[in-house]
């Protein structure tokens, strides 16, 4: 006895009944509102629509000026005349054949040392204020407030603070310390004083960066460390320090680039006198005092190249490491 194959047809698929209008004609089904292709296209261009305005602003106020600066560095433009004669690399040759133009980088060492001090202070207060302390929000505001003040205003305030018979001398006289020292009269004291001003002003920026990194650490790690009997120092060494390493690297990059491009505080307080001139102040004088905009543009390009090279070297020596503490 043989078994025959089943020839039964599959059950019919249920279809949507046709729609009939009042005149008895069948209506056509409308296509869906959005096809898959148009949906993918819309999803693809939506991020660029949000980025359009920031990109336009970035190109207009960053990349276009940088391109013009590079172009001006190959001309002898004085900043006023419409004539811009091409001089090739003469401006760069003048920069690298005049060693006195690079001696001003010695002033940046004062601000680099001040940057190291402010990083240490900011890291200490970020660690302390990350724990549950009284009035910690008040101290956070006090530390960050100087960074919100305009740099020109800070320069004028501390100009009166350090002048002869000014605020500093008056405060020292209350404690019986009499001094006739001109705080801005010698290169060493002037650069040290202004570096101290930069510590007061920029500590808040590093403090906020470190505080955000510390507060992003899961609280369970602190609880486990406390159960194991870890002290505050051990918590900082084994939990906080490894987790904020990328932020610390960023702060070092900002410190180096900032120390090389100091401008506001020394320009307002001394105008570059008493050997307090920085490379940026020197560049500004070339452009607006000696009307050598082409040479000033070349100086700006050299400074930009130096900062980029130092940043690249630092990133190569201290690469970012993925931190996973959980």
């Amino acid at each position: 006895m043989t078994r025959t194959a089943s020839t039964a047809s599959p059950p019919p698929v249920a279809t949507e009944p046709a729609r009939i209008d009042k005149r008895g004609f069948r209506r056509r089904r409308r296509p869906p509102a959005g096809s898959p292709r148009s949906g993918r296209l819309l999803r693809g261009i939506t991020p660029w629509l949000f980025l359009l305005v920031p990109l336009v602003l970035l190109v207009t106020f960053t990349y276009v000026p940088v391109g013009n600066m590079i172009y001006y560095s190959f001309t002898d433009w004085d900043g006023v005349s419409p004539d811009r004669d091409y001089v090739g690399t003469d401006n760069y040759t003048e920069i690298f054949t005049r060693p006195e133009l690079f001696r001003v980088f010695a002033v940046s060492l004062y601000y680099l040392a001040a940057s190291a001090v402010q990083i240490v202070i900011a890291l200490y207060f970020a660690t302390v204020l990350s724990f549950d302390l009284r009035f910690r929000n008040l101290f956070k505001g006090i530390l960050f407030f100087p960074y919100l003040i305009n740099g020109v205003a800070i320069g004028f305030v501390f100009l009166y603070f350090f002048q002869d018979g000014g605020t500093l001398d008056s405060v020292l006289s209350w404690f019986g310390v009499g001094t006739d020292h001109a705080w801005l009269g010698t290169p060493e004291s002037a650069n040290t004083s202004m570096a101290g001003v930069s510590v007061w002003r920029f500590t808040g920026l590093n403090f906020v960066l470190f505080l955000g990194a510390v507060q992003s650490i899961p609280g369970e790690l602190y609880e486990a460390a406390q159960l194991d009997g870890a002290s505050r120092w051990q918590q900082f060494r084994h939990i906080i320090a490894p987790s904020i390493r990328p932020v610390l690297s960023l702060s070092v990059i900002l410190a180096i680039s900032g120390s090389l491009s100091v401008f506001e505080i020394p320009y307002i307080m001394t105008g570059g006198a008493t050997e307090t001139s920085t490379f940026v102040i020197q560049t500004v004088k070339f452009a607006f005092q000696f009307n050598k905009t082409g040479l000033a543009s070349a100086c700006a390009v050299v400074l930009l190249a130096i900062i980029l090279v130092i940043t690249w070297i630092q990133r190569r020596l201290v690469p970012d490491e993925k931190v996973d503490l959980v």
Side-chain angles (χ1 to χ4, degrees):
M1 181 177 181
T2 61
R3 181 177 297 178
T4 60
S6 176
T7 58
S9 60
V13 179
T15 58
E16 182 180 358
R19 298 181 180 181
I20 307 299
D21 59 8
K22 296 180 179 180
R23 295 176 298 176
F25 295 100
R26 179 178 297 183
R27 295 180 180 178
R28 292 184 177 180
R29 295 181 58 188
R30 294 182 178 180
S35 62
R37 184 176 181 180
S38 62
R40 289 194 299 268
L41 179 61
L42 182 61
R43 287 192 299 270
I45 65 175
T46 298
W48 293 102
L49 293 177
F50 284 101
L51 291 174
L52 180 62
V53 174
L55 287 176
V56 170
L57 295 176
L58 179 65
V59 171
T60 303
F61 295 103
T62 300
Y63 295 113
V64 172
V66 169
N68 289 333
M69 179 183 68
I70 296 174
Y71 166 70
Y72 296 150
S73 67
F74 294 99
T75 65
D76 62 351
W77 188 40
D78 59 0
V80 179
S81 174
D83 299 329
R84 302 167 186 171
D85 297 331
Y86 179 78
V87 295
T89 60
D90 291 350
N91 291 324
Y92 295 97
T93 303
E94 182 177 357
I95 292 174
F96 290 103
T97 54
R98 294 174 59 182
E100 66 273 11
L101 298 182
F102 290 93
R103 290 174 186 168
V104 295
F105 280 116
V107 178
S108 300
L109 297 178
Y110 288 92
Y111 296 96
L112 185 61
S115 300
V117 173
Q118 61 186 263
I119 288 176
V120 173
I121 296 175
L123 183 57
Y124 171 77
F125 281 105
T127 303
V128 171
L129 296 179
S130 63
F131 297 106
D132 190 10
L133 299 175
R134 295 183 61 184
F135 305 110
R136 63 175 181 175
N137 291 330
L138 175 63
F139 290 115
K140 291 177 184 178
I142 292 174
L143 287 170
F144 186 66
F145 176 72
Y147 182 70
L148 301 177
I149 305 177
N150 182 268
V152 177
I154 291 176
F156 280 112
V157 168
F158 280 93
L159 177 62
Y160 292 103
F161 181 82
F162 286 114
Q163 71 179 359
D164 298 341
T167 305
L168 181 57
D169 290 339
S170 300
V171 172
L172 292 176
S173 64
W174 294 347
F175 297 95
V177 180
T179 177
D180 55 354
H181 179 71
W183 300 102
L184 301 178
T186 61
E188 292 77 12
S189 62
N191 288 317
T192 303
S193 300
M194 290 185 292
V197 175
S198 68
V199 171
W200 179 81
R201 184 189 179 193
F202 292 104
T203 298
L205 175 61
N206 292 281
F207 167 74
V208 170
L209 294 176
F210 291 145
L211 184 65
V214 172
Q215 290 182 342
S216 64
I217 301 174
E220 294 81 3
L221 296 178
Y222 295 112
E223 296 177 0
Q226 291 176 357
L227 292 176
D228 292 336
S231 62
R232 295 292 191 188
W233 166 250
Q234 290 174 333
Q235 292 180 29
F236 172 80
R237 180 181 177 184
H238 299 286
I239 297 178
I240 296 178
S243 65
I244 66 172
R245 192 177 304 155
V247 179
L248 183 60
S249 177
L250 173 62
S251 297
V252 173
I253 292 175
L254 294 177
I256 295 175
S257 60
S259 63
L260 293 175
S261 58
V262 176
F263 173 69
E264 293 174 333
I265 293 176
Y267 186 78
I268 295 298
M269 296 181 65
T270 63
T274 62
E275 299 182 13
T276 59
S277 179
T278 62
F279 196 81
V280 178
I281 294 177
Q282 183 176 255
T283 302
V284 170
K285 288 184 177 181
F286 282 150
F288 300 103
Q289 185 174 346
F290 302 107
N291 294 329
K292 294 183 178 180
T293 304
L295 181 60
S297 300
C299 291
V301 172
V302 170
L303 179 61
L304 177 61
I306 291 173
I307 293 175
L308 292 178
V309 169
I310 292 177
T311 303
W312 178 80
I313 294 174
Q314 181 182 354
R315 302 288 288 183
R316 296 288 295 179
L317 296 177
V318 187
D320 286 340
E321 297 180 5
K322 185 178 180 180
V323 179
D324 189 7
L325 298 176
V326 182

